[in-house]
Amino acid sequence: MNSVEVEILGKKYRLRSDTPQKVEDYAAYLNTLLDELSSKYGIVDSKDSLTLAAMILTEKIFDLTTHSEQLKKEIDSIHTKISSFFVDIIE
């Protein structure tokens, strides 16, 4: 594991990761989101910014999980149809 230092809301954090570039990208994404929220809603308190960002990111996770489950169902359905098609051909 490699050590990587990131800064979030002006505070530095030293983290360990197998993919330090990803950690830096995540921190940059979070900082951008926090800056946008601060500008859009005039939020000054870092706790409020982080809470709102956490809610937004949680919503995205739930939406992506739901979408992923729907895609899995569609793939399973297609797989069943393809399998049935080949069974019909073989018989």
Side-chain angles (χ1 to χ4, degrees):
M1 285 196 140
N2 299 314
S3 182
V4 61
E5 185 173 277
V6 296
E7 189 173 322
I8 300 170
L9 289 176
K11 184 174 179 180
K12 292 185 181 186
Y13 297 90
R14 181 156 295 282
L15 307 170
R16 295 185 59 76
S17 174
D18 289 331
T19 55
Q21 183 59 54
K22 283 185 179 181
V23 173
E24 290 173 353
D25 292 345
Y26 301 155
Y29 177 83
L30 181 56
N31 278 318
T32 299
L33 177 59
L34 292 167
D35 288 344
E36 289 172 359
L37 293 173
S38 179
S39 294
K40 185 173 182 179
Y41 298 108
I43 300 172
V44 177
D45 183 65
S46 61
K47 186 176 177 181
D48 290 341
S49 294
L50 288 168
T51 300
L52 185 53
M55 289 301 296
I56 290 168
L57 295 173
T58 300
E59 178 184 25
K60 286 183 179 187
I61 290 169
F62 273 74
D63 289 347
L64 289 171
T65 300
T66 300
H67 185 68
S68 175
E69 290 168 355
Q70 291 170 344
L71 289 173
K72 185 182 179 323
K73 287 178 185 177
E74 289 177 28
I75 289 169
D76 288 345
S77 174
I78 292 168
H79 182 264
T80 300
K81 289 176 184 176
I82 290 172
S83 296
S84 175
F85 176 77
F86 283 113
V87 167
D88 290 343
I89 290 177
I90 295 172
E91 295 176 343

